[in-house]
């Protein structure tokens, strides 16, 4: 954007220099040229200060200079009409000044151009209208360069915002995926390690078996993490339900799994989301309850229900991993709801039948 600003500014400088040269070349006599030069140069300098405000971000010139430049530029137009030289290019000094002032002042500037041309042209209405139209066209042409620069900067900021939003969204997705993997696996590893510690004195063989399972879980967690980094990780609902039953059983929690006689064929994205729900709910049961039983139910209309007893007191809405999964299911057109009673905690994940089938 720095290059675009520089290009716009240099273009405007060339435009202002061209205004000076063209206007000064109009009068036939040397004395008249000096007089015109003495007026048009300060007018263009003030116009340059005004145009530098939006392009370079410099402070605006004193208001007195702007107020003096506008009638001076109109005086050049008045002189041209009295001298019979015509409106163009005498409208250019006024046009470049108007291009630098707020657009709300343009009607007043154009009215001044009309009045100066009409007075100098001995009430030539057609010539006054022509001069006013040319002034408006030249003002818009100069302003268009600034407008293009402003629009390009706005588009550049929008692209930067889009990139930042995409990066933030990807970080959140990665954080959710990492929580789904490591939160579950580390909880199971901790559980089995505690069990092995209790069995070490009374049943070394079972303790060794538990530690072998801990090693296997650690290897699986490492592999899942590598797959996540590569972006190739997927979750199988059947595998997650089977893992949940095995983990809950190891923790002494009785699990009940209910599937429809004709299970729906789930799209990979839907199966992935449901698998993550099962995984997160299993982790929450181990961490946030003293459950003795769990029920996992998949219905034929694309809904998954996970129920456990003896939940701890908690927040009024999904938190942690469940909150992230709720956002993801909502984005996919579904929902994730929960209900806490005195003795049960129920999580229900649903997706439209069209999405599930």
């Amino acid at each position: 954007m720095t290059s675009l600003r520089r290009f716009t500014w240099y273009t405007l400088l060339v435009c202002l220099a061209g205004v000076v040269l063209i206007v000064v070349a109009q009068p036939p006599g040397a004395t008249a040229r000096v007089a015109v030069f003495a007026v048009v140069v300060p007018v263009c300098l003030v116009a340059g200060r005004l145009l530098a405000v939006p392009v370079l971000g410099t402070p605006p010139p004193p208001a007195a200079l702007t107020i003096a430049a506008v009638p001076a530029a109109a005086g050049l137009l008045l002189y041209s009409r009295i001298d019979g030289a015509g409106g163009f290019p005498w409208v250019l000094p006024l046009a470049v000044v108007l291009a630098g002032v707020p657009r709300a002042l343009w009607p007043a500037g154009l009215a001044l151009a009309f009045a100066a041309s009409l007075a100098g042209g001995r009430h030539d209405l057609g010539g006054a209208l022509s001069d006013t139209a040319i002034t408006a066209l030249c003002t818009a042409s100069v302003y268009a360069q600034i407008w293009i620069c402003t629009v390009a900067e706005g588009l550049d900021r929008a692209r930067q915002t889009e990139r930042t939003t995409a990066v933030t969204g990807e970080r959140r997705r990665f954080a959710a995926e990492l929580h789904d993997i490591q939160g579950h696996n580390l909880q199971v590893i901790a559980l089995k390690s505690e069990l092995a510690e209790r069995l070490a004195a009374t049943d070394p063989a079972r303790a060794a078996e538990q530690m072998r399972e801990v090693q296997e879980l650690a290897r699986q967690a490492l592999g899942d993490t590598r797959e996540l980094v590569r972006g190739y990780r997927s979750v199988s609902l059947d595998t997650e339900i089977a893992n949940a039953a095995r983990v809950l059983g190891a923790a002494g929690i009785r699990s009940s799994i209910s599937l429809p006689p004709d299970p729906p064929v789930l799209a990979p994205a839907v199966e992935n989301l449901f698998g993550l729900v099962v995984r997160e709910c299993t982790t929450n049961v181990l961490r946030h309850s003293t459950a003795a039983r769990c029920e996992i139910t998949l219905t034929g209309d694309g809904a998954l229900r996970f129920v456990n007893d003896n939940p701890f007191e908690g927040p009024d809405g999904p938190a942690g991993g469940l909150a992230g999964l709720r956002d993801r299911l909502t984005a996919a057109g579904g929902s994730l709801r929960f209900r806490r009673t005195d003795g049960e905690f129920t999580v229900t994940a649903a997706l439209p039948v069209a999405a599930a089938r």
Side-chain angles (χ1 to χ4, degrees), residues 43-320:
V43 168
C44 287
L45 289 176
V46 173
R49 288 283 302 275
L50 291 170
L51 296 175
V53 174
V55 178
L56 302 180
T58 59
L65 290 179
T66 304
I67 294 174
V70 172
L76 290 173
L77 179 58
L78 176 64
Y79 163 78
S80 71
R81 279 300 180 183
I82 293 174
D83 193 55
F88 187 85
W90 297 95
V91 298
L92 293 178
L94 181 58
V96 293
V97 174
L98 291 180
V101 301
R103 283 175 293 174
L105 299 178
W106 285 10
L110 294 177
L112 183 61
F114 177 80
S117 180
L118 188 64
R122 296 176 180 84
H123 305 291
D124 180 7
L125 182 60
L129 291 174
S130 175
D131 290 347
T132 304
I134 295 174
T135 303
L137 180 61
C138 293
T139 300
S141 299
V142 175
Y143 178 78
Q145 300 181 55
I146 303 173
W147 179 80
I148 291 173
C149 182
T150 303
V151 170
E153 287 185 338
L155 291 175
D156 186 66
R157 285 194 298 269
R159 285 194 294 267
Q160 291 179 359
T161 301
E162 183 180 4
R163 287 194 295 267
T164 301
T165 302
V167 170
T168 301
E170 182 62 19
R171 286 175 177 172
R172 292 182 61 185
R173 184 200 66 80
F174 186 84
E177 294 286 342
L178 188 61
H179 176 275
D180 294 337
I181 295 175
Q182 301 296 24
H184 173 79
N185 288 331
L186 292 177
Q187 182 65 31
V188 177
I189 288 172
L191 177 67
K192 287 186 171 293
S193 299
E194 293 172 2
L195 179 60
E197 181 182 12
R198 292 196 299 268
L199 293 174
T202 59
D203 193 344
R206 285 191 61 192
E209 180 182 353
Q210 292 295 323
M211 290 309 299
R212 282 194 292 271
E213 291 187 10
V214 167
Q215 293 176 358
E216 180 61 28
L217 285 170
R219 294 191 187 96
Q220 180 182 349
L222 179 61
D224 287 344
T225 303
R226 287 172 175 168
E227 290 180 4
L228 173 61
V229 173
R230 296 190 186 100
Y232 296 135
R233 177 175 174 265
S234 61
V235 175
S236 167
L237 180 57
D238 292 339
T239 301
E240 290 302 326
I241 291 177
N243 288 341
R246 178 173 57 84
V247 170
L248 294 172
I253 301 173
R254 186 176 68 258
S255 60
S256 173
I257 300 173
S258 176
L259 302 176
D262 184 17
V265 179
L266 302 177
V270 175
E271 186 172 1
N272 179 76
L273 289 175
F274 278 174
L276 294 177
V277 171
V278 172
R279 175 176 291 186
E280 182 63 29
C281 289
T282 303
T283 300
N284 288 343
V285 168
L286 298 175
R287 297 178 59 187
H288 304 301
S289 75
T290 57
R293 64 175 179 83
C294 286
E295 298 176 3
I296 304 174
T297 304
L298 179 66
T299 66
D301 57 353
L304 176 71
R305 186 167 61 251
F306 196 107
V307 184
N308 66 272
D309 60 355
N310 302 326
F312 294 156
E313 292 296 327
D316 294 335

Side-chain angles (χ1 to χ4, degrees), residues 319-339:
L322 283 179
L325 288 173
R326 177 187 57 188
D327 294 340
R328 296 174 66 177
L329 263 73
T330 301
S335 63
L336 186 144
R337 301 186 303 273
F338 90 106
R339 178 170 54 86

